[in-house]
Structure formats: structure tokens, C-alpha cells
Amino acid sequence: MANSAQAKKRARQAEGTRRRNASQKSELRTAIKKVRKAIAAGDKASATKTLQESQAVMDRIADKKVVHKNLVSRTKSRLSSAIKALA
């Protein structure tokens, strides 16, 4: 447990940061699920549109360093490849 005033404040700040990051990670996972759902439906146009909307969310979260930029890049690449594979 924090003993000094400085340590108590740092603990409060860390908790706020943790909540914010958790919320943004959840937003990221939701965006990815939306694209995967569109791909599963088999509609290429809808999946492409959903991917474009989700990329903005993914990039924003990566820019804030909530998740690593390579994770977002890899995810976008895999989703894009899955959309291209739709016939």
C-alpha cells in the first residue's frame, strides 16, 4: 500500500490510466469483431467498408500506445487478406 502522498497520487493516476486503456482495448476488439462478422457474412463490399471504418479506430489506439503498432498492422493485414479471399 502507498505510504507517501506522492505514492498515493501515483496509484490514483495509474488506476485512471488502467481504466482508460482497458476501455480502448475493448473498443479495439469490438472493431475487429465487426470486421470479422462482416467477413463471415460473405459480403465483400460490406466487409471492406467496415474495415475502413475500423482502421481509424485501430490506428488511433496504436498511436496512443495502448497496444503496439505492429499488432494493429498485423491485424489490419490479416483482415484485409481475408476480405480479398472472399469471392
Coordinates of all heavy atoms in Angstrom, one line a residue:
M1 N 0.8 -1.2 0.0 CA 0.0 0.0 0.0 C 0.9 1.2 0.0 O 1.9 1.3 0.6 CB -0.9 0.0 1.2 CG -1.9 1.1 1.3 SD -3.0 1.1 -0.1 CE -3.5 2.8 -0.1
A2 N 0.4 2.3 -0.7 CA 1.2 3.5 -0.8 C 1.2 4.2 0.6 O 0.2 4.3 1.3 CB 0.5 4.4 -1.8
N3 N 2.4 4.7 1.0 CA 2.5 5.4 2.2 C 2.7 6.9 2.1 O 2.1 7.6 2.9 CB 3.8 4.8 3.0 CG 3.6 3.4 3.4 OD1 2.5 3.0 3.8 ND2 4.6 2.6 3.3
S4 N 3.4 7.3 1.1 CA 3.5 8.8 1.0 C 2.4 9.4 0.1 O 1.7 8.7 -0.6 CB 4.9 9.1 0.3 OG 4.9 8.6 -1.0
A5 N 2.3 10.7 0.2 CA 1.2 11.4 -0.6 C 1.5 11.2 -2.1 O 0.6 11.0 -2.9 CB 1.2 12.8 -0.2
Q6 N 2.8 11.2 -2.4 CA 3.2 11.1 -3.8 C 2.8 9.7 -4.4 O 2.3 9.6 -5.5 CB 4.7 11.3 -3.9 CG 5.3 11.1 -5.3 CD 6.8 11.3 -5.4 OE1 7.5 11.4 -4.3 NE2 7.4 11.2 -6.5
A7 N 3.1 8.7 -3.6 CA 2.8 7.3 -4.0 C 1.3 7.1 -4.1 O 0.8 6.4 -4.9 CB 3.4 6.3 -3.0
K8 N 0.5 7.7 -3.2 CA -1.0 7.6 -3.2 C -1.5 8.3 -4.5 O -2.4 7.7 -5.2 CB -1.6 8.3 -2.0 CG -1.4 7.5 -0.7 CD -2.0 8.2 0.5 CE -1.7 7.4 1.7 NZ -2.1 8.1 2.9
K9 N -1.0 9.4 -4.8 CA -1.4 10.1 -6.1 C -1.0 9.3 -7.3 O -1.9 9.1 -8.2 CB -0.7 11.5 -6.2 CG -1.1 12.2 -7.4 CD -0.5 13.6 -7.5 CE -0.9 14.3 -8.8 NZ -0.3 15.7 -8.9
R10 N 0.2 8.7 -7.3 CA 0.6 7.9 -8.4 C -0.3 6.7 -8.6 O -0.7 6.3 -9.7 CB 2.0 7.4 -8.1 CG 2.8 6.9 -9.3 CD 3.0 8.0 -10.4 NE 2.8 7.3 -11.7 CZ 2.2 7.9 -12.7 NH1 1.8 9.1 -12.7 NH2 2.0 7.2 -13.8
A11 N -0.8 6.1 -7.5 CA -1.7 4.9 -7.5 C -3.0 5.4 -8.1 O -3.6 4.6 -8.9 CB -1.9 4.4 -6.1
R12 N -3.5 6.6 -7.7 CA -4.8 7.1 -8.3 C -4.6 7.3 -9.8 O -5.5 6.9 -10.6 CB -5.2 8.4 -7.7 CG -5.7 8.3 -6.3 CD -6.4 9.6 -5.8 NE -5.7 10.8 -6.1 CZ -4.8 11.4 -5.2 NH1 -4.6 10.8 -4.0 NH2 -4.2 12.5 -5.5
Q13 N -3.5 7.9 -10.2 CA -3.3 8.1 -11.6 C -3.2 6.8 -12.4 O -3.7 6.7 -13.5 CB -2.0 8.9 -11.8 CG -2.2 10.4 -11.4 CD -0.9 11.1 -11.5 OE1 0.2 10.6 -11.3 NE2 -1.0 12.4 -11.8
A14 N -2.5 5.8 -11.8 CA -2.3 4.6 -12.5 C -3.7 3.9 -12.7 O -3.9 3.2 -13.7 CB -1.4 3.7 -11.7
E15 N -4.6 4.0 -11.7 CA -5.9 3.4 -11.8 C -6.7 4.0 -13.0 O -7.4 3.3 -13.7 CB -6.6 3.5 -10.5 CG -8.0 2.9 -10.5 CD -8.1 1.4 -10.8 OE1 -7.1 0.7 -10.7 OE2 -9.2 0.9 -11.2
G16 N -6.6 5.3 -13.0 CA -7.3 6.0 -14.1 C -6.8 5.6 -15.5 O -7.6 5.4 -16.4
T17 N -5.5 5.5 -15.6 CA -4.9 5.1 -16.9 C -5.3 3.7 -17.2 O -5.6 3.4 -18.4 CB -3.3 5.2 -16.7 OG1 -3.0 6.6 -16.4 CG2 -2.7 4.8 -18.0
R18 N -5.3 2.8 -16.2 CA -5.7 1.4 -16.4 C -7.1 1.3 -17.0 O -7.3 0.6 -17.9 CB -5.5 0.6 -15.1 CG -5.8 -0.9 -15.3 CD -6.0 -1.6 -14.0 NE -7.2 -1.2 -13.3 CZ -8.4 -1.6 -13.7 NH1 -8.6 -2.5 -14.6 NH2 -9.5 -1.2 -13.0
R19 N -8.0 2.1 -16.4 CA -9.4 2.1 -16.9 C -9.5 2.6 -18.3 O -10.2 2.1 -19.1 CB -10.3 2.9 -15.9 CG -10.5 2.2 -14.6 CD -11.5 3.0 -13.8 NE -11.7 2.3 -12.5 CZ -12.3 2.8 -11.5 NH1 -12.6 4.1 -11.5 NH2 -12.5 2.1 -10.4
R20 N -8.8 3.7 -18.6 CA -8.8 4.3 -19.9 C -8.3 3.3 -21.0 O -8.9 3.1 -22.0 CB -8.0 5.5 -19.9 CG -8.4 6.5 -21.0 CD -7.8 8.0 -20.7 NE -6.7 8.1 -19.9 CZ -6.7 8.5 -18.6 NH1 -7.8 8.8 -18.1 NH2 -5.6 8.6 -17.9
N21 N -7.2 2.6 -20.6 CA -6.6 1.7 -21.5 C -7.5 0.5 -21.7 O -7.6 0.0 -22.9 CB -5.2 1.2 -21.0 CG -4.1 2.3 -21.1 OD1 -4.3 3.3 -21.8 ND2 -3.0 2.1 -20.5
A22 N -8.1 0.0 -20.7 CA -9.0 -1.2 -20.8 C -10.2 -0.8 -21.7 O -10.6 -1.7 -22.5 CB -9.5 -1.6 -19.4
S23 N -10.7 0.4 -21.6 CA -11.8 0.8 -22.4 C -11.4 0.8 -23.9 O -12.1 0.4 -24.8 CB -12.3 2.2 -21.9 OG -13.3 2.7 -22.8
Q24 N -10.2 1.4 -24.1 CA -9.8 1.5 -25.5 C -9.4 0.1 -26.1 O -9.7 -0.1 -27.3 CB -8.6 2.4 -25.6 CG -9.0 3.8 -25.4 CD -7.9 4.8 -25.5 OE1 -6.7 4.4 -25.4 NE2 -8.2 6.1 -25.6
K25 N -8.9 -0.8 -25.3 CA -8.6 -2.2 -25.8 C -9.9 -2.9 -26.1 O -10.0 -3.6 -27.1 CB -7.9 -3.0 -24.7 CG -6.4 -2.7 -24.7 CD -5.7 -3.6 -23.7 CE -4.3 -3.2 -23.5 NZ -3.6 -4.0 -22.5
S26 N -11.0 -2.6 -25.3 CA -12.3 -3.2 -25.6 C -12.8 -2.6 -26.9 O -13.4 -3.4 -27.7 CB -13.2 -2.9 -24.5 OG -14.5 -3.3 -24.7
E27 N -12.6 -1.3 -27.1 CA -13.1 -0.7 -28.4 C -12.4 -1.3 -29.6 O -13.0 -1.5 -30.6 CB -12.8 0.8 -28.3 CG -13.3 1.6 -29.5 CD -13.0 3.1 -29.3 OE1 -12.4 3.5 -28.3 OE2 -13.4 3.8 -30.3
L28 N -11.1 -1.6 -29.4 CA -10.3 -2.2 -30.5 C -10.8 -3.6 -30.8 O -11.0 -3.9 -32.0 CB -8.8 -2.3 -30.0 CG -7.9 -3.0 -31.0 CD1 -7.7 -2.3 -32.3 CD2 -6.6 -3.3 -30.3
R29 N -11.0 -4.4 -29.8 CA -11.5 -5.7 -30.0 C -12.9 -5.7 -30.7 O -13.2 -6.6 -31.5 CB -11.6 -6.5 -28.7 CG -10.2 -6.9 -28.2 CD -10.3 -7.9 -27.0 NE -10.9 -7.3 -25.8 CZ -10.2 -6.7 -24.8 NH1 -8.9 -6.7 -24.8 NH2 -10.9 -6.2 -23.8
T30 N -13.8 -4.8 -30.3 CA -15.1 -4.7 -30.9 C -15.0 -4.3 -32.4 O -15.7 -4.9 -33.2 CB -15.9 -3.6 -30.1 OG1 -16.0 -3.9 -28.8 CG2 -17.3 -3.5 -30.7
A31 N -14.1 -3.4 -32.7 CA -13.9 -3.0 -34.1 C -13.4 -4.2 -34.9 O -13.9 -4.4 -36.0 CB -12.9 -1.9 -34.2
I32 N -12.5 -5.0 -34.4 CA -12.1 -6.2 -35.1 C -13.2 -7.2 -35.3 O -13.3 -7.8 -36.3 CB -10.9 -6.8 -34.3 CG1 -9.7 -5.9 -34.4 CG2 -10.5 -8.2 -34.9 CD1 -8.5 -6.2 -33.5
K33 N -14.0 -7.4 -34.2 CA -15.1 -8.3 -34.3 C -16.1 -7.9 -35.4 O -16.7 -8.8 -36.1 CB -15.8 -8.5 -32.9 CG -15.0 -9.3 -31.9 CD -15.7 -9.3 -30.6 CE -14.8 -9.9 -29.5 NZ -15.4 -9.8 -28.2
K34 N -16.3 -6.6 -35.5 CA -17.3 -6.2 -36.5 C -16.8 -6.5 -37.9 O -17.6 -7.0 -38.8 CB -17.4 -4.6 -36.4 CG -18.3 -4.1 -35.3 CD -18.4 -2.6 -35.4 CE -19.1 -2.1 -34.2 NZ -19.2 -0.6 -34.2
V35 N -15.5 -6.4 -38.2 CA -15.0 -6.7 -39.5 C -15.1 -8.3 -39.7 O -15.5 -8.7 -40.8 CB -13.5 -6.3 -39.6 CG1 -13.0 -6.7 -41.0 CG2 -13.4 -4.8 -39.4
R36 N -14.7 -9.0 -38.7 CA -14.8 -10.5 -38.8 C -16.2 -11.0 -39.1 O -16.4 -11.9 -39.8 CB -14.2 -11.2 -37.6 CG -12.7 -11.0 -37.5 CD -12.1 -11.9 -36.4 NE -10.7 -11.8 -36.4 CZ -9.9 -11.7 -35.3 NH1 -10.5 -11.7 -34.1 NH2 -8.6 -11.6 -35.4
K37 N -17.2 -10.3 -38.4 CA -18.6 -10.7 -38.6 C -19.0 -10.4 -40.1 O -19.7 -11.2 -40.7 CB -19.4 -9.9 -37.6 CG -20.9 -10.3 -37.6 CD -21.6 -9.5 -36.6 CE -23.1 -9.9 -36.5 NZ -23.9 -9.1 -35.5
A38 N -18.5 -9.2 -40.6 CA -18.9 -8.9 -42.0 C -18.2 -9.9 -43.0 O -18.8 -10.2 -44.0 CB -18.4 -7.5 -42.3
I39 N -17.0 -10.3 -42.6 CA -16.3 -11.3 -43.5 C -17.1 -12.6 -43.4 O -17.3 -13.3 -44.5 CB -14.8 -11.5 -43.0 CG1 -14.0 -10.2 -43.3 CG2 -14.2 -12.7 -43.7 CD1 -12.7 -10.2 -42.7
A40 N -17.5 -13.0 -42.3 CA -18.2 -14.3 -42.1 C -19.5 -14.3 -42.9 O -20.0 -15.3 -43.4 CB -18.5 -14.6 -40.6
A41 N -20.1 -13.1 -43.0 CA -21.4 -12.9 -43.7 C -21.2 -13.1 -45.2 O -22.1 -13.4 -46.0 CB -22.0 -11.6 -43.4
G42 N -19.9 -12.9 -45.7 CA -19.6 -13.2 -47.1 C -19.8 -12.0 -48.0 O -19.7 -12.1 -49.2
D43 N -20.2 -10.8 -47.5 CA -20.4 -9.6 -48.3 C -19.2 -8.8 -48.4 O -18.8 -8.1 -47.4 CB -21.6 -8.8 -47.7 CG -22.0 -7.6 -48.6 OD1 -21.4 -7.5 -49.7 OD2 -22.8 -6.8 -48.1
K44 N -18.5 -8.9 -49.5 CA -17.2 -8.2 -49.7 C -17.3 -6.7 -49.6 O -16.4 -6.1 -48.9 CB -16.6 -8.6 -51.0 CG -15.2 -8.2 -51.2 CD -14.6 -8.8 -52.5 CE -13.1 -8.6 -52.6 NZ -12.5 -9.3 -53.7
A45 N -18.3 -6.1 -50.2 CA -18.5 -4.6 -50.1 C -18.7 -4.2 -48.7 O -18.1 -3.2 -48.2 CB -19.6 -4.2 -51.0
S46 N -19.5 -4.9 -48.0 CA -19.8 -4.5 -46.6 C -18.6 -4.7 -45.7 O -18.2 -3.8 -44.8 CB -20.9 -5.4 -46.0 OG -21.1 -5.2 -44.6
A47 N -17.8 -5.8 -45.9 CA -16.6 -6.1 -45.2 C -15.6 -5.0 -45.4 O -14.9 -4.5 -44.5 CB -16.1 -7.4 -45.5
T48 N -15.4 -4.6 -46.6 CA -14.5 -3.5 -47.0 C -14.8 -2.2 -46.3 O -13.9 -1.6 -45.8 CB -14.4 -3.3 -48.5 OG1 -14.1 -4.6 -49.1 CG2 -13.3 -2.3 -48.9
K49 N -16.0 -1.9 -46.3 CA -16.5 -0.6 -45.7 C -16.3 -0.7 -44.2 O -15.8 0.3 -43.6 CB -18.0 -0.4 -46.0 CG -18.5 0.9 -45.5 CD -19.9 1.2 -46.0 CE -20.5 2.5 -45.6 NZ -20.9 2.5 -44.2
T50 N -16.6 -1.8 -43.6 CA -16.4 -2.0 -42.2 C -14.9 -1.9 -41.8 O -14.6 -1.3 -40.8 CB -17.0 -3.3 -41.7 OG1 -18.4 -3.4 -42.2 CG2 -17.0 -3.4 -40.2
L51 N -14.1 -2.5 -42.6 CA -12.6 -2.5 -42.4 C -12.1 -1.0 -42.4 O -11.3 -0.6 -41.5 CB -11.9 -3.3 -43.4 CG -10.3 -3.3 -43.2 CD1 -9.9 -3.9 -41.9 CD2 -9.7 -4.1 -44.4
Q52 N -12.5 -0.3 -43.4 CA -12.1 1.1 -43.5 C -12.5 1.9 -42.2 O -11.7 2.7 -41.7 CB -12.7 1.8 -44.7 CG -12.0 1.3 -46.0 CD -12.7 1.9 -47.2 OE1 -13.8 2.4 -47.2 NE2 -12.0 1.8 -48.4
E53 N -13.7 1.7 -41.7 CA -14.2 2.4 -40.5 C -13.4 1.9 -39.3 O -13.0 2.7 -38.4 CB -15.6 2.1 -40.3 CG -16.5 2.7 -41.3 CD -18.0 2.2 -41.3 OE1 -18.3 1.4 -40.5 OE2 -18.8 2.7 -42.1
S54 N -13.1 0.7 -39.2 CA -12.4 0.1 -38.1 C -10.9 0.5 -38.1 O -10.3 0.5 -37.0 CB -12.5 -1.4 -38.1 OG -13.9 -1.8 -37.9
Q55 N -10.3 0.7 -39.3 CA -8.9 1.1 -39.3 C -8.6 2.4 -38.6 O -7.6 2.5 -37.9 CB -8.4 1.2 -40.8 CG -8.1 -0.2 -41.4 CD -7.7 -0.1 -42.8 OE1 -7.9 0.9 -43.5 NE2 -7.1 -1.1 -43.3
A56 N -9.5 3.3 -38.7 CA -9.3 4.6 -38.0 C -9.3 4.3 -36.5 O -8.4 4.9 -35.8 CB -10.5 5.5 -38.3
V57 N -10.1 3.5 -36.0 CA -10.2 3.1 -34.5 C -8.8 2.5 -34.1 O -8.2 2.8 -33.2 CB -11.4 2.2 -34.2 CG1 -11.3 1.7 -32.8 CG2 -12.7 3.0 -34.4
M58 N -8.4 1.5 -35.0 CA -7.2 0.7 -34.7 C -6.0 1.7 -34.7 O -5.2 1.6 -33.7 CB -7.0 -0.3 -35.7 CG -8.0 -1.4 -35.7 SD -7.6 -2.7 -37.0 CE -9.2 -3.3 -37.3
D59 N -5.9 2.5 -35.6 CA -4.7 3.4 -35.7 C -4.7 4.4 -34.6 O -3.6 4.7 -34.0 CB -4.7 4.2 -37.1 CG -4.4 3.3 -38.2 OD1 -3.7 2.3 -38.0 OD2 -4.8 3.6 -39.4
R60 N -5.8 4.9 -34.2 CA -5.9 5.9 -33.1 C -5.4 5.2 -31.8 O -4.6 5.8 -31.0 CB -7.3 6.4 -32.9 CG -7.5 7.5 -31.9 CD -8.9 8.0 -31.8 NE -9.8 7.1 -31.2 CZ -10.8 6.5 -31.8 NH1 -11.1 6.8 -33.0 NH2 -11.6 5.6 -31.1
I61 N -5.8 4.0 -31.5 CA -5.4 3.3 -30.3 C -3.9 3.0 -30.4 O -3.2 3.0 -29.3 CB -6.3 2.1 -30.1 CG1 -7.7 2.6 -29.8 CG2 -5.8 1.2 -29.0 CD1 -8.8 1.5 -29.8
A62 N -3.4 2.6 -31.5 CA -2.0 2.3 -31.7 C -1.2 3.6 -31.5 O -0.1 3.5 -30.8 CB -1.7 1.7 -33.0
D63 N -1.7 4.7 -32.0 CA -0.9 6.0 -31.8 C -0.8 6.4 -30.3 O 0.1 7.0 -29.9 CB -1.6 7.1 -32.6 CG -1.4 7.0 -34.1 OD1 -0.5 6.3 -34.5 OD2 -2.2 7.6 -34.8
K64 N -1.8 6.0 -29.5 CA -1.8 6.3 -28.1 C -1.0 5.3 -27.3 O -0.8 5.4 -26.1 CB -3.2 6.3 -27.5 CG -4.0 7.5 -28.1 CD -5.4 7.4 -27.6 CE -6.3 8.6 -28.2 NZ -7.6 8.5 -27.7
K65 N -0.4 4.3 -28.0 CA 0.5 3.3 -27.5 C -0.3 2.4 -26.4 O 0.4 1.9 -25.5 CB 1.7 3.9 -26.9 CG 2.6 4.5 -28.0 CD 3.8 5.1 -27.5 CE 4.5 5.8 -28.7 NZ 5.7 6.5 -28.3
V66 N -1.6 2.2 -26.6 CA -2.3 1.3 -25.7 C -1.9 -0.1 -26.1 O -1.8 -1.0 -25.3 CB -3.8 1.6 -25.9 CG1 -4.6 0.5 -25.1 CG2 -4.2 3.0 -25.4
V67 N -1.8 -0.3 -27.4 CA -1.3 -1.6 -28.0 C -0.2 -1.3 -28.9 O -0.1 -0.1 -29.4 CB -2.4 -2.4 -28.7 CG1 -3.5 -2.9 -27.7 CG2 -3.0 -1.7 -29.8
H68 N 0.7 -2.2 -29.2 CA 1.8 -2.0 -30.1 C 1.3 -1.8 -31.5 O 0.4 -2.4 -32.0 CB 2.8 -3.1 -30.0 CG 4.2 -2.8 -30.5 ND1 4.5 -2.8 -31.8 CD2 5.2 -2.4 -29.8 CE1 5.8 -2.4 -32.0 NE2 6.2 -2.2 -30.7
K69 N 2.0 -0.9 -32.2 CA 1.6 -0.6 -33.6 C 1.7 -1.8 -34.5 O 1.0 -1.9 -35.5 CB 2.5 0.6 -34.2 CG 4.0 0.2 -34.3 CD 4.8 1.4 -34.8 CE 6.2 1.0 -34.8 NZ 7.1 2.1 -35.4
N70 N 2.7 -2.7 -34.2 CA 2.8 -3.9 -35.1 C 1.6 -4.8 -34.9 O 1.2 -5.5 -35.9 CB 4.1 -4.6 -34.7 CG 5.3 -3.9 -35.2 OD1 5.2 -2.8 -35.7 ND2 6.5 -4.4 -34.9
L71 N 1.0 -4.9 -33.7 CA -0.2 -5.7 -33.5 C -1.3 -5.2 -34.4 O -2.0 -6.0 -35.1 CB -0.6 -5.7 -32.1 CG -1.8 -6.5 -31.7 CD1 -1.6 -7.1 -30.3 CD2 -3.1 -5.7 -31.7
V72 N -1.5 -3.9 -34.4 CA -2.5 -3.3 -35.2 C -2.2 -3.5 -36.7 O -3.1 -3.9 -37.5 CB -2.7 -1.8 -34.9 CG1 -3.6 -1.1 -35.9 CG2 -3.2 -1.6 -33.5
S73 N -1.0 -3.3 -37.1 CA -0.6 -3.5 -38.5 C -0.9 -4.9 -39.0 O -1.4 -5.2 -40.0 CB 0.9 -3.2 -38.7 OG 1.2 -3.3 -40.0
R74 N -0.5 -5.9 -38.1 CA -0.7 -7.3 -38.4 C -2.2 -7.7 -38.5 O -2.6 -8.4 -39.4 CB 0.0 -8.1 -37.3 CG 0.0 -9.6 -37.6 CD 0.8 -10.3 -36.5 NE 0.3 -10.1 -35.2 CZ 1.0 -9.5 -34.2 NH1 2.2 -9.1 -34.4 NH2 0.5 -9.4 -33.0
T75 N -2.9 -7.1 -37.6 CA -4.4 -7.4 -37.6 C -5.0 -6.8 -38.9 O -5.8 -7.5 -39.5 CB -5.0 -6.7 -36.4 OG1 -4.4 -7.3 -35.2 CG2 -6.5 -7.0 -36.3
K76 N -4.7 -5.6 -39.2 CA -5.3 -5.0 -40.5 C -4.9 -5.8 -41.7 O -5.7 -6.0 -42.6 CB -4.8 -3.5 -40.6 CG -5.3 -2.6 -39.6 CD -5.1 -1.1 -39.9 CE -3.7 -0.8 -40.1 NZ -3.4 0.7 -40.2
S77 N -3.7 -6.3 -41.7 CA -3.2 -7.1 -42.9 C -4.0 -8.4 -43.0 O -4.4 -8.7 -44.1 CB -1.7 -7.4 -42.7 OG -1.2 -8.2 -43.7
R78 N -4.2 -9.0 -41.9 CA -4.9 -10.3 -41.9 C -6.3 -10.1 -42.3 O -6.9 -10.9 -43.0 CB -4.8 -11.0 -40.5 CG -3.4 -11.5 -40.2 CD -3.3 -12.1 -38.9 NE -1.9 -12.6 -38.7 CZ -1.4 -13.1 -37.5 NH1 -2.2 -13.0 -36.4 NH2 -0.2 -13.5 -37.4
L79 N -7.0 -9.1 -41.8 CA -8.3 -8.8 -42.1 C -8.5 -8.5 -43.6 O -9.4 -8.9 -44.3 CB -8.9 -7.7 -41.2 CG -9.1 -8.0 -39.8 CD1 -9.5 -6.7 -39.0 CD2 -10.1 -9.1 -39.6
S80 N -7.5 -7.7 -44.1 CA -7.5 -7.3 -45.5 C -7.4 -8.5 -46.4 O -8.1 -8.7 -47.4 CB -6.4 -6.3 -45.8 OG -6.4 -5.9 -47.1
S81 N -6.5 -9.4 -46.0 CA -6.3 -10.6 -46.8 C -7.5 -11.5 -46.8 O -7.9 -12.1 -47.8 CB -5.1 -11.4 -46.2 OG -3.9 -10.7 -46.3
A82 N -8.2 -11.5 -45.6 CA -9.4 -12.3 -45.5 C -10.5 -11.8 -46.4 O -11.3 -12.5 -47.1 CB -9.9 -12.4 -44.1
I83 N -10.6 -10.4 -46.5 CA -11.6 -9.8 -47.4 C -11.2 -10.1 -48.9 O -12.1 -10.4 -49.7 CB -11.6 -8.3 -47.1 CG1 -12.3 -8.0 -45.8 CG2 -12.4 -7.6 -48.2 CD1 -12.2 -6.6 -45.3
K84 N -9.9 -10.0 -49.2 CA -9.5 -10.3 -50.6 C -9.8 -11.7 -51.0 O -10.1 -12.0 -52.2 CB -8.0 -10.0 -50.8 CG -7.7 -8.5 -50.8 CD -6.2 -8.3 -51.0 CE -5.9 -6.8 -50.9 NZ -4.5 -6.6 -51.0
A85 N -9.8 -12.6 -50.0 CA -10.1 -14.0 -50.3 C -11.5 -14.3 -50.6 O -11.9 -15.3 -51.1 CB -9.6 -14.9 -49.1
L86 N -12.4 -13.4 -50.2 CA -13.8 -13.5 -50.5 C -14.1 -13.5 -52.0 O -13.5 -12.7 -52.7 CB -14.7 -12.4 -49.8 CG -14.8 -12.5 -48.3 CD1 -15.5 -11.2 -47.8 CD2 -15.4 -13.7 -47.8
A87 N -15.0 -14.4 -52.5 CA -15.2 -14.4 -53.9 C -16.6 -13.9 -54.3 O -17.4 -13.7 -53.5 CB -15.0 -15.8 -54.5

